[in-house]
Amino acid sequence: MSRDALAEFIEAKAKEFDIPGVAVGVWVEGRELFACHGVTSIDNPLPVDRDTLFVLGSVTKTYTATAIMRLVETGRVDLDAPVRRYVPELRLPDEDAAARITILNLLNHTAGLDTRMVFDSGDGDDALAGEVAKMAEVALIGPVGGRASYSQLGYNLLGRVIEHVTGQTYEAAVASLVLEQAGLTNSVFTAGQAITRRFAVGHNLSEGTLKVARTWKDTRGNNPGGGLASSVSDQLRWARFHLGGGDLARRMQEPTAELHGSTLGDAVGIAWFLRDVDGVRTAGHGGSANGQFADLLLVPERDFAIVAVSNAGPDSGLEFNQAVVRWALEHYLGVVERDLEPLPYDPERAQEIAGHYENEFMTLIIDTDGDTMTVECRIKPEIRAASETELPPDMPPVGLGLLPGNGDEYIVTGGGLIGQRGFLTRDANGAIIGADLAGRLFNRVPTTAE
């Protein structure tokens, strides 16, 4: 076990992917190992260290879920209760669904809610109330409890549950219920808190050149789903809190819903995505912000954790984090993650699959040139036009291949999403009506020919 080996690896990978700054922490054999490289910003550079704040994006969901579970422990929240018991003002276009969605449906992404909205409800203490009010306009993508589909909206709604139950703002409640209890002193939600510390900014490619992302983090209304900024040192403390084996941690790592054809995992617990890697069960969560990326993976049976953060996009940070996690599993545990091999190109299948798929926020484009298939993820143009802040760049087209089996599962073969798996959904007549990627459902958009 060597700090030098970790430092050498992350430095080489950061240079390979042209990332300004990275930080990595490993908990193994009862010791903390850290390796940091590069700078916080190419415009105003400071060295990245173990206490530098990075925006965690959706890793924040593990904090929101833990706060809910603390309230469950004390009898203030019931996982099987309808959300309206705690948020009576909840309205959705589907009234029956609004009445039936439970707390657990939100925690394991089975509420049928879409991915997210681009909506700024302001920086006031009523930001989450405004976010929830806007949900009255967002149609469900599926029946309550029908299947798992990743939802930022669901976790923002959980933030409002926390506010109603505690009588505090979401941020204050999480600080007292979670951050203080886990001993996290370098984890914050606001730019005002971050500006007195060392923090990283995101970077995105623009016309082949890295530039600083001018929106540092998402809106306050999205804090429960992705708004925490933290350091790798605090993230290892967070990992150790969940590796500690208490009842709360164990319950969160038990499967609550199956996942099909997803790189996120084989199942979702309470926030954590659960998957077997080389015969070993892991629990993890990733996150992305505007040009910043975070990954946290636990291996409970080995008392092991790895956290990686990076500050360049649209896909280089994803590739870096994935490479670091894989290397750490193999280097420290001998656990090897093997890529699935796609089938040879099938022009008939490619033509059947090619098309546009969308959710409320993004469009997924599967295309073919007659020799290969590609997939591309774009934020909808109308969403970009309506946004008052800078949004992350689109993911460029990358390779896509079908996997053996029923022929409706696929794998991304290039770019920052390399290794990501997804699957197609068909109707009763066998027609393709949807595609999943990164745990999110995209419904097929019919063309004139269809």
Side-chain angles (χ1 to χ4, degrees):
M1 184 171 62
S2 168
R3 294 175 188 269
D4 291 339
L6 178 64
E8 290 171 5
F9 182 83
I10 72 114
E11 180 177 353
K13 284 297 175 182
K15 290 179 178 178
E16 176 185 344
F17 294 121
D18 192 24
I19 302 175
V22 299
V24 175
V26 178
W27 172 255
V28 58
E29 296 180 0
R31 296 178 58 201
E32 290 184 341
L33 304 178
F34 294 100
C36 304
H37 172 77
V39 296
T40 57
S41 166
I42 59 174
D43 287 354
N44 299 284
L46 289 173
V48 170
D49 60 26
R50 69 183 65 181
D51 294 318
T52 299
L53 301 182
F54 285 73
V55 181
L56 298 183
S58 287
V59 177
T60 308
K61 290 180 174 66
T62 64
Y63 291 80
T64 300
T66 303
I68 288 287
M69 293 304 290
R70 293 294 306 276
L71 296 173
V72 170
E73 279 188 322
T74 57
R76 301 173 73 184
V77 169
D78 180 348
L79 288 181
D80 296 320
V83 174
R84 272 195 176 160
R85 177 183 297 180
Y86 310 103
V87 187
E89 72 270 25
L90 175 64
R91 297 292 180 271
L92 296 171
D94 185 330
E95 170 58 27
D96 179 65
R100 291 196 298 114
I101 292 172
T102 68
I103 299 296
L104 182 58
N105 288 144
L106 300 181
L107 288 166
N108 65 14
H109 301 285
T110 60
L113 293 171
D114 211 330
T115 302
R116 61 165 294 166
M117 302 180 292
V118 175
F119 167 67
D120 189 350
S121 54
D123 293 327
D125 288 352
D126 61 349
L128 278 177
E131 175 90 1
V132 171
K134 191 72 171 178
M135 289 176 64
E137 303 173 13
V138 181
L140 270 68
I141 59 170
V144 177
R147 49 153 292 167
S149 183
Y150 191 83
S151 176
Q152 177 89 349
L153 289 178
Y155 269 75
N156 292 341
L157 180 52
L158 284 168
R160 187 62 176 150
V161 171
I162 291 169
E163 290 189 333
H164 271 295
V165 172
T166 64
Q168 299 176 286
T169 64
Y170 163 80
E171 297 82 6
V174 169
S176 61
L177 288 169
V178 176
L179 302 182
E180 293 171 9
Q181 299 300 317
L184 307 186
T185 59
N186 206 28
S187 299
V188 302
F189 280 104
T190 71
Q193 293 168 311
I195 203 169
T196 59
R197 311 163 196 237
R198 184 165 302 193
F199 63 94
V201 299
H203 301 80
N204 290 311
L205 273 177
S206 176
E207 299 178 349
T209 302
L210 273 181
K211 296 183 179 179
V212 169
R214 296 301 171 185
T215 298
W216 183 60
K217 65 184 290 291
D218 213 330
T219 62
R220 185 174 180 181
N222 279 290
N223 272 352
L228 190 66
S230 185
S231 63
V232 291
S233 55
D234 259 18
Q235 286 306 285
L236 277 196
R237 292 188 191 97
W238 184 237
R240 292 173 64 182
F241 178 82
H242 278 274
L243 288 170
D247 289 340
L248 180 149
R250 281 195 298 268
R251 190 171 182 185
M252 291 182 67
Q253 294 164 22
E254 294 173 354
T256 62
E258 291 185 1
L259 292 173
H260 169 64
S262 173
T263 312
L264 292 176
D266 310 305
V268 57
I270 303 293
W272 295 112
F273 291 104
L274 313 174
R275 64 188 179 108
D276 289 338
V277 180
D278 202 13
V280 177
R281 174 50 62 99
T282 68
H285 213 295
S288 61
N290 191 8
Q292 299 195 56
F293 302 89
D295 276 275
L296 175 60
L297 189 76
L298 316 178
V299 186
E301 65 187 70
R302 303 286 187 91
D303 192 32
F304 175 88
I306 166 75
V307 57
V309 292
S310 50
N311 67 348
D315 53 14
S316 53
L318 288 169
E319 290 183 272
F320 171 84
N321 288 3
Q322 184 180 72
V324 168
V325 169
R326 288 186 169 204
W327 180 88
L329 288 173
E330 182 172 2
H331 185 80
Y332 296 110
L333 301 183
V335 171
V336 179
E337 184 168 359
R338 295 172 175 84
D339 289 324
L340 298 171
E341 286 295 325
L343 295 167
Y345 175 78
D346 182 332
E348 185 176 337
R349 291 300 317 284
Q351 287 294 335
E352 179 192 22
I353 296 165
H356 287 217
Y357 303 78
E358 66 177 30
N359 56 32
E360 184 79 11
F361 182 60
M362 299 190 75
T363 299
L364 190 73
I365 302 169
I366 299 178
D367 203 357
T368 178
D369 62 4
D371 293 310
T372 61
M373 278 196 300
T374 59
V375 61
E376 180 180 0
C377 295
R378 298 178 184 171
I379 295 174
K380 289 181 174 181
E382 62 269 28
I383 297 292
R384 285 196 183 280
S387 177
E388 297 179 0
T389 58
E390 175 189 4
L391 295 175
D394 296 330
M395 292 284 185
V398 293
L400 187 77
L402 294 175
L403 291 171
N406 64 8
D408 279 350
E409 294 189 16
Y410 49 81
I411 188 168
V412 179
T413 57
L417 295 177
I418 188 169
Q420 285 280 347
R421 292 167 55 202
F423 64 94
L424 303 167
T425 299
R426 295 179 182 268
D427 64 16
N429 297 317
I432 296 171
I433 58 172
D436 271 67
L437 189 64
R440 297 163 172 85
L441 172 64
F442 295 77
N443 289 304
R444 190 167 198 170
V445 181
T447 64
T448 304
E450 294 174 328

